[in-house]
Amino acid sequence: MTKRELETCPVQCPYCWESFAVVVDCSVPSQRYIEDCEVCCRPITLIIHVDENGEALVEARHEDDAG
């Protein structure tokens, strides 16, 4: 199996509940950054973990719930 460096992942905004896609760099196993929702423009904290197969799991949280 070939590992992909970039993967497009769906995300659901925790504010407006609309879905949009983010591009994830799968060469970095653990990431955390803030990106604005493409629909309502509110800041979302994205927490990304890449598993041993190179597949990304993206969690979206309210900016103030970044814990």
Side-chain angles (χ1 to χ4, degrees), residues 7-12 20-26 31-33 35 44-51 55-61:
E7 182 176 335
T8 302
C9 299
V11 173
Q12 185 175 40
F20 62 95
V22 294
V23 177
V24 175
D25 180 354
C26 294
Q31 305 168 53
R32 179 185 295 253
Y33 61 92
E35 186 166 318
I44 303 167
T45 299
L46 297 175
I47 302 166
I48 302 165
H49 298 285
V50 180
D51 68 17
E55 294 185 29
L57 171 66
V58 181
E59 182 180 351
R61 295 186 182 175

